[in-house]
Amino acid sequence: MKASIKNACNLLQIYSERCKPLCKEIGMPQTAFDILMFLANNPEFDTARDIVETRYIKANLVSVNVESLVREGYLKREESPGDRRKIRLVCTEKAWPVVERGRQLQTHFMDELFQNVDGRLKDDFFQVLGIMEANLKVMQEGRE
């Protein structure tokens, strides 16, 4: 178990290091970049609460960074259809060039991460992750 935790920490640390040059170039803090990429890559999670609950970023950091992204024109707020109390966060046209560069960075990172892993083993890995995700969902439903 300790090796798994260390691997997860190393993965996050190295990913952050890979993001630093792009974040510096575009003048965006890492947390704001992470929020923007999360919203772009996961359109089904489109509220500040979703970011807090899914990405485990502290609410105050989400609030500050979302406000900055809105002010700088990368995000806009929209009322949710059917529940005007719920505010959706939507990427603007200005965000898409940053998102595209971020996706290229993410793709390159994943390619590096899976270097020397053959296709079958990689497929098996993602299949196991899918099974684990389903198991976690069942376990979570059992808690509720």
Side-chain angles (χ1 to χ4, degrees):
M1 190 66 141
K2 287 183 182 181
S4 296
I5 292 170
K6 186 173 181 174
N7 285 341
C9 291
N10 284 342
L11 184 138
L12 293 172
Q13 182 182 10
I14 293 169
Y15 174 75
S16 291
E17 288 173 9
R18 294 293 198 276
C19 291
K20 279 182 185 178
L22 177 58
C23 289
K24 185 176 180 180
E25 180 185 331
I26 61 177
M28 186 178 288
Q30 177 78 46
T31 303
F33 176 75
D34 290 343
I35 289 169
L36 186 65
M37 293 305 298
F38 175 77
L39 291 168
N41 290 334
N42 303 281
E44 68 277 19
F45 298 109
D46 61 359
T47 68
R49 176 175 291 217
D50 290 336
I51 297 166
V52 170
E53 292 176 356
T54 307
R55 280 297 317 273
Y56 301 107
I57 300 172
K58 292 182 180 180
N60 64 328
L61 287 175
V62 171
S63 178
V64 166
N65 284 284
V66 164
E67 187 59 41
S68 175
L69 289 165
V70 169
R71 187 175 53 253
E72 294 173 18
Y74 292 104
L75 293 178
K76 62 182 176 179
R77 293 181 177 102
E78 293 181 353
E79 286 183 5
S80 180
D83 186 355
R84 58 190 186 101
R85 296 171 298 167
K86 184 177 175 184
I87 303 298
R88 298 176 56 237
L89 301 169
V90 180
C91 294
T92 64
E93 287 297 318
K94 181 178 180 179
W96 290 110
V98 173
V99 169
E100 279 307 309
R101 293 194 56 203
R103 286 178 175 164
Q104 290 171 359
L105 184 149
Q106 290 173 338
T107 298
H108 183 71
F109 179 78
M110 291 301 286
D111 289 346
E112 278 188 284
L113 189 61
F114 282 99
Q115 189 174 354
N116 302 318
V117 178
D118 71 38
R120 176 151 166 64
L121 193 54
K122 185 176 174 182
D123 291 344
D124 290 346
F125 172 78
F126 282 109
Q127 185 176 2
V128 169
L129 281 180
I131 293 166
M132 290 170 64
E133 183 178 357
N135 291 343
L136 285 169
K137 186 175 181 180
V138 169
M139 292 165 66
Q140 185 176 24
E141 290 169 356
R143 286 190 336 205
E144 295 172 356

